[in-house]
Amino acid sequence: MGALSSRVLRPAGRTEQPEPTPGAGGSARRSDAGEDAAHGFCYCPGGRKRKRSSGTFCYCHPESETDEDEDEGDEQQRLLNTPRRKKLKSTSKYIYQTLFLNGENSDIKICALGEEWSLHKIYLCQSGYFSSMFSGSWKESSMNIIELEIPDQNIDIEALQVAFGSLYRDDVLIKPSRVVAILAAACMLQLDGLIQQCGETMKETISVRTVCGYYTSAGTYGLDSVKKNINVMRQLIGSSNLFVMQVEMDVYTALKKWMFLQLVPSWNGSLKQLLTETDVWFSKWKKDFEGTTFLETEQGKPFAPVFRHLRLQYIISDLASARIIEQDSLVPSEWLASVYKQQWLAMLRAEQDSEVGPQEINKEELEGNSMRCGRKLAKDGEYCWRWTGFNFGFDLLVTYTNRYIIFKRNTLNQPCSGSVSLQPRRSIAFRLRLASFDSSGKLICSRATGYQILTLEKDQEQVVMNLDSRLLIFPLYICCNFLYISPEKRTESNRHPENPGH
């Protein structure tokens, strides 16, 4: 580095003095030193005049102490004491890779579904299933190769891979699309931590698409925290895939009982007593809070989002159901008022505006606002039925016979409970679904038509599904979605799922 030039710093107001010549430099610097020392300056040969921190120490000498020395020392101390983050291969990752994936030092093989895993007993004992197997007098406790029987069809090789791997690592990433299979494997192997994580994953990823599968699985594998979750119930009630037995009023009744059980968890009566006890409890509440509906109270507000997904327009279309809704005083009157207005205008269109029904598929409207109704056929035979309620003059008969499901527009030939439209042709939008379940509630087989438009003349009938032998497993559940009024003519108050009229 080249020599630094130096200059004299003088207090303001002083007369500028000429720089001394090199020969007289020593005396000139000494003459200023005493005065400048009073102002905290010091001079060092060949260097600049510098500000002193205090006392007689000089910045230019190693033994001197100044503010800059202190700052530099503090910075060095800080750097020395600040930990540097460097990602190392963790023990968990090493164990997972070396012991689980590579199978090094394995002392046992687990065989299942045509696959083998080279594992370690000390890790397997974290599983309640294997802990019991190895600690008891079972023959497997001394075996080096164990064949696992997998009784649950939800469990596949990938699910077992995740379940076994969870014994060798700290965390597991679970895809929502795989959570049911992994939950099934975790329950079989009694992996409490993995079961809990599956439950959390289900709660976080509940949607209209997943809720039915999640709800069923939660019941099958004992995840009450998922099954009783209010958000699960909200999505379930709003789902277009919900199998409703028999009509929407039955959904309301089920919700009323569910809400009672949430509010009175200590109740332990029989299922036959549940509805009666529910009505008694809410009746007592109604006497104490006359004039206020339950869902408007602090106790009831958490349940309001669930009840908003009820399709109230198909409840008030039946006189007996409408009276129960009014009597229970659970649903806010504002919700009902908008629905009554909507249905009244729809009826006028059907009666006075030559309404002939939907002419095109509007999937969003069908999924959000169609009438949901179902029927259980306990055994094979011949059946004919209709779902009660005012359906805008369209009296629909459903017949099951000889493996055929038939829709018929009943106009003149058979008596019906309500008014019947005499329009020459009427249309409905519909979707028909069938399903069979085993004793545990697991789906065995299913079939669906997709959304369709069906146009019928007076008393005309139409085959809408032919069942093949695979579906002839009873009991058989039939669920239908119907829309009788053209979607483009429905009022906006019933289109938005969070609208009180929904």
Side-chain angles (χ1 to χ4, degrees):
M1 178 180 288
L4 297 176
S5 62
S6 62
R7 61 190 178 90
V8 178
L9 301 178
R10 303 183 186 279
R14 291 192 57 181
T15 304
E16 186 71 32
Q17 298 293 328
E19 287 281 349
T21 63
S27 61
R29 295 176 74 89
R30 283 194 300 273
S31 64
D32 287 339
E35 181 180 352
D36 288 338
H39 294 87
F41 296 99
C42 71
Y43 293 88
C44 297
R48 293 184 301 176
K49 183 179 181 182
R50 299 187 182 274
K51 178 81 173 180
R52 294 182 306 169
S53 59
S54 62
T56 59
F57 294 96
C58 175
Y59 174 84
C60 305
H61 291 82
E63 67 274 12
S64 66
E65 293 183 3
T66 67
D67 288 338
E68 294 185 27
D69 267 339
E70 292 177 358
D71 291 344
E72 184 177 348
D74 289 346
E75 177 66 15
Q76 291 178 352
Q77 191 69 17
R78 185 185 69 79
L79 292 173
L80 290 172
N81 288 282
T82 300
R84 294 297 184 213
R85 186 181 300 277
K86 183 174 178 59
K87 193 170 184 179
L88 301 174
K89 188 171 183 179
S90 68
T91 302
S92 176
K93 288 184 178 180
Y94 175 82
I95 290 173
Y96 181 76
Q97 178 66 48
T98 306
L99 299 186
F100 178 65
L101 295 181
N102 298 344
E104 293 187 16
N105 299 319
S106 169
D107 57 3
I108 190 168
K109 279 190 177 181
I110 304 297
C111 304
L113 301 176
E115 190 73 18
E116 289 185 357
W117 287 267
S118 298
L119 303 175
H120 307 78
K121 285 187 177 182
I122 192 170
Y123 284 95
L124 288 177
C125 282
Q126 297 173 86
S127 155
Y129 179 88
F130 286 109
S131 178
S132 299
M133 178 186 292
F134 297 150
S135 62
S137 57
W138 304 97
K139 64 177 182 179
E140 289 86 355
S141 61
S142 58
M143 294 173 61
N144 296 325
I145 300 176
I146 294 177
E147 293 279 349
L148 281 187
E149 292 186 8
I150 308 297
D152 191 337
Q153 293 181 359
N154 282 331
I155 302 175
D156 55 20
I157 293 174
E158 185 180 347
L160 288 174
Q161 177 79 3
V162 173
F164 289 141
S166 70
L167 300 172
Y168 291 79
R169 62 196 315 179
D170 295 331
D171 56 359
V172 180
L173 295 178
I174 300 175
K175 296 179 182 178
S177 61
R178 299 293 306 154
V179 68
V180 173
I182 294 172
L183 173 62
C187 287
M188 176 188 147
L189 300 177
Q190 301 172 34
L191 301 174
D192 294 339
L194 188 57
I195 292 171
Q196 183 178 357
Q197 188 172 347
C198 287
E200 294 302 318
T201 300
M202 293 167 79
K203 290 177 188 177
E204 293 169 2
T205 59
I206 293 166
S207 67
V208 171
R209 291 178 177 271
T210 62
V211 66
C212 290
Y214 283 3
Y215 186 82
T216 301
S217 300
T220 301
Y221 301 111
L223 277 182
D224 288 343
S225 62
V226 174
K227 190 174 182 180
K228 295 178 180 179
N229 184 275
I230 288 180
N231 189 37
V232 171
M233 188 60 72
R234 179 176 66 84
Q235 295 283 2
L236 186 68
I237 298 304
S239 174
S240 62
N241 294 321
L242 180 67
F243 265 62
V244 173
M245 303 285 152
Q246 295 262 342
V247 291
E248 195 75 20
M249 182 61 186
D250 295 290
V251 181
Y252 167 82
T253 303
L255 276 185
K256 183 169 62 172
K257 293 186 288 187
W258 168 77
M259 184 165 62
F260 166 72
L261 292 174
Q262 297 288 309
L263 295 167
V264 191
S266 60
W267 188 84
N268 60 356
S270 67
L271 188 60
K272 291 183 178 180
Q273 298 173 317
L274 180 55
L275 181 57
T276 301
E277 292 293 325
T278 298
D279 286 335
V280 169
W281 192 89
F282 283 113
S283 179
K284 290 179 180 178
W285 171 90
K286 184 179 176 181
K287 291 178 181 179
D288 296 332
F289 296 90
E290 190 66 36
T292 303
T293 60
F294 185 77
L295 294 179
E296 294 175 296
T297 66
E298 291 303 315
Q299 268 187 304
K301 282 180 180 178
F303 303 99
V306 180
F307 277 79
R308 283 197 175 190
H309 280 276
L310 281 170
R311 303 184 181 186
L312 293 170
Q313 64 269 34
Y314 301 113
I315 294 179
I316 64 167
S317 65
D318 176 69
L319 180 60
S321 299
R323 285 174 173 169
I324 292 174
I325 286 281
E326 296 284 352
Q327 180 182 343
D328 285 348
S329 193
L330 301 180
V331 178
S333 56
E334 291 81 4
W335 298 15
L336 294 172
S338 63
V339 177
Y340 278 121
K341 177 182 177 181
Q342 165 207 303
Q343 292 299 85
W344 172 250
L345 293 175
M347 185 191 73
L348 292 179
R349 290 197 302 273
E351 293 291 326
Q352 302 177 14
D353 197 25
S354 301
E355 171 67 48
V356 296
Q359 301 301 302
E360 60 182 20
I361 298 296
N362 185 326
K363 187 175 179 181
E364 181 181 358
E365 184 78 13
L366 283 162
E367 289 187 346
N369 292 307
S370 59
M371 174 182 173
R372 304 180 293 188
C373 44
R375 179 76 183 264
K376 176 184 176 182
L377 305 183
K379 59 182 180 179
D380 196 11
E382 293 190 355
Y383 302 87
C384 183
W385 71 91
R386 63 164 59 88
W387 288 286
T388 59
F390 179 75
N391 298 323
F392 309 104
F394 198 124
D395 188 51
L396 186 70
L397 293 179
V398 183
T399 301
Y400 171 81
T401 180
N402 296 325
R403 302 196 309 184
Y404 291 103
I405 296 179
I406 301 168
F407 288 170
K408 179 181 179 181
R409 180 188 173 194
N410 179 38
T411 307
L412 303 172
N413 291 346
Q414 297 184 42
C416 56
S417 58
S419 63
V420 173
S421 171
L422 298 179
Q423 289 280 357
R425 296 165 67 87
R426 284 292 302 270
S427 298
I428 57 170
F430 78 96
R431 179 180 65 165
L432 175 64
R433 292 174 294 149
L434 287 81
S436 291
F437 303 89
D438 62 19
S439 58
S440 66
K442 184 180 178 181
L443 181 67
I444 300 175
C445 58
S446 64
R447 187 176 172 187
T449 61
Y451 290 110
Q452 299 182 16
I453 298 289
L454 178 64
T455 301
L456 297 173
E457 297 180 0
K458 296 177 183 178
D459 294 311
Q460 182 183 356
E461 62 182 35
Q462 178 73 44
V463 174
V464 292
M465 184 178 285
N466 179 13
L467 281 68
D468 57 39
S469 58
R470 291 176 300 171
L471 279 170
L472 295 180
I473 303 174
F474 291 88
L476 187 66
Y477 293 84
I478 300 174
C479 186
C480 295
N481 293 70
F482 292 116
L483 199 62
Y484 293 94
I485 298 295
S486 302
E488 64 270 17
K489 293 187 178 181
R490 296 182 70 86
T491 59
E492 289 296 324
S493 65
N494 197 42
R495 291 183 183 273
H496 198 284
E498 293 304 323
N499 187 282
H502 192 288

